[in-house]
């Protein structure tokens, strides 16, 4: 998400929070659910289908989108960066 300041320059949104996962890929709706950004898996699928979630700066409508290390997810003013902590990806 980008903000426009009073000079018309684009500014990056808040710094992303690192989310550690030990399995790659992980499905988009699961990240939203397990990080507590939504109340349930059904709600996660709904907000994705409604185009309310960005992945790497683009609207993502695939509920089961495969999220990889270094992907950045944006939803409800939050930015999450996926960090792989397991063995081989």
């Amino acid at each position: 998400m980008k903000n426009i300041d009073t000079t018309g320059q684009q500014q990056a949104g808040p710094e992303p929070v690192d989310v550690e996962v030990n399995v790659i890929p992980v499905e988009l709706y699961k990240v939203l659910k397990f990080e507590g950004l939504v109340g349930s898996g059904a709600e996660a699928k709904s907000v994705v289908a409604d185009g309310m979630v960005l992945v790497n700066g683009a609207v993502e409508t695939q509920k089961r989108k495969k999220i990889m290390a270094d992907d950045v997810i944006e939803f409800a003013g939050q930015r999450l960066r996926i960090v792989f902590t397991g063995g081989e990806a």
Side-chain angles (χ1 to χ4, degrees):
M1 192 175 324
K2 297 192 177 187
N3 299 320
I4 305 292
D5 68 16
T6 56
T7 64
Q9 297 291 320
Q10 289 186 344
Q11 298 176 339
E15 281 298 311
V17 173
D18 287 347
V19 174
E20 297 180 351
V21 298
N22 56 16
V23 175
I24 290 288
V26 61
E27 294 173 334
L28 175 57
Y29 83 94
K30 290 180 181 179
V31 175
L32 298 175
K33 177 183 169 187
F34 293 134
E35 289 304 308
L37 298 180
V38 293
S40 68
E43 183 181 352
K45 290 176 181 178
S46 177
V47 298
V48 173
D50 289 345
M52 299 172 63
V53 179
L54 302 179
V55 175
N56 299 326
V59 172
E60 183 55 65
T61 57
Q62 296 179 58
K63 300 170 275 246
R64 295 184 180 270
K65 168 76 175 168
K66 303 298 186 211
I67 301 299
M68 304 299 288
D70 296 325
D71 281 349
V72 175
I73 299 166
E74 299 178 55
F75 174 69
Q78 305 246 0
R79 296 181 78 214
L80 308 175
R81 179 187 303 118
I82 303 304
V83 177
F84 181 62
T85 60
E88 293 184 32

